[in-house]
Amino acid sequence: MRSSEPKCVGGLLMLHRKDYLDDLAKAKLAKAAYELGLEVGEHGHLDTVGWVGAELRHIMQQAEELRVADIIRRRYEFGKEKGHVRRQGKYNQAPSAHRIRPQGPVGAQAAPEALQAVKHDHFAERVSAEEGIWSTISVMRFARGNEDIQSHLSNLFAGMSDLHDRIMQMPVGRTPDRTFDSALSMLTDVGWISTYEVKFFDERSSMANIDTTSMLARSFGKCDTPMCSPLGNVMETVGLKTFGKPTLAVEEACMAQGNDHCTFKLFPREVPREEGI
């Protein structure tokens, strides 16, 4: 009887391993389809001839084998559409001499204002939305079947969202530095940090430097690299509330590395525009 038990357990492990490899293959295939579509849409390639057609047929053949042809096709079309939008964006950012200027009812004097009106604030993404979605899916698949990990993930997402809402809904201080201090105080109240010291703050450049005692690092233990990325995301919300613009937080030193504090630097995430664009 005992000799049959390891075979059963081994069989279950092999089955779990196969499911995991299938999921990994599907995720990689979806990423390849999206990237191919992005290339086709951005550069205006034909997807029925040449290397593009061969690559697409190869991807779809694998998709058929994994029984995800519809999903993979949609990922390809989504990437293609996004590439087309990117191509149009590049065209719209061409030098003004080659751009069609909008005509308003008040004549040529209205053209500069009209061009200014269609501009949108640009900022550098932490990661692309596509990468964020697929990373989330990968983690959720990894946690599938493990109730403890699923519960922790749900608490993580909910806790980060609640903290973001709490910071964004707090009253604005009379000055940006007071807003900044109030937001950091809130982080101590909820327990993300136990102490903080603002080493540098500049409203004009939307930059700041903070030393904190991170509860994440204190609980995590030793690590070769800074590990408080969730706290960094929270700091970016603090920057958004304080400066009124998207902010990037970089952890330059971490207590898990043996430092006395976790040091974060905040920068504006906006991408500078070139003159005439």
Side-chain angles (χ1 to χ4, degrees), residues 2-127:
R2 291 183 179 179
S3 61
S4 64
E5 292 178 358
K7 292 181 180 179
C8 180
V9 173
L12 290 174
L13 290 175
M14 289 297 294
L15 182 61
H16 176 75
R17 177 66 176 172
K18 183 181 183 303
D19 290 341
Y20 171 75
L21 291 176
D22 284 347
D23 287 343
L24 187 62
K26 293 173 185 176
K28 289 182 176 179
L29 196 60
K31 186 174 185 294
Y34 169 80
E35 291 177 345
L36 179 62
L38 194 66
E39 174 80 8
V40 169
E42 185 173 2
H43 298 284
H45 297 315
L46 295 176
D47 55 12
T48 56
V49 296
W51 70 269
V52 175
E55 183 67 19
L56 182 58
R57 287 192 296 273
H58 178 66
I59 289 176
M60 293 310 301
Q61 181 180 359
Q62 295 181 69
E64 292 284 354
E65 294 174 357
L66 292 171
R67 299 180 180 179
V68 288
D70 289 343
I71 296 175
I72 298 305
R73 171 62 71 174
R74 288 197 296 269
R75 300 310 300 166
Y76 171 77
E77 294 296 338
F78 177 72
K80 187 176 177 180
E81 179 63 25
K82 190 170 183 179
H84 177 72
V85 172
R86 183 180 293 180
R87 184 184 183 190
Q88 289 297 111
K90 288 181 178 179
Y91 172 78
N92 292 335
Q93 292 180 6
S96 57
H98 303 285
R99 196 185 308 156
I100 299 175
R101 294 183 179 274
Q103 297 297 321
V106 294
Q109 291 183 351
E113 289 79 9
L115 284 175
Q116 186 68 28
V118 299
K119 288 183 178 180
H120 301 283
D121 290 334
H122 285 55
F123 62 93
E125 296 177 317
R126 302 178 185 90
V127 297

Side-chain angles (χ1 to χ4, degrees), residues 123-135:
F123 62 93
E125 296 177 317
R126 302 178 185 90
V127 297
S128 68
E130 182 73 17
E131 289 177 301
I133 291 169
W134 280 104
S135 293

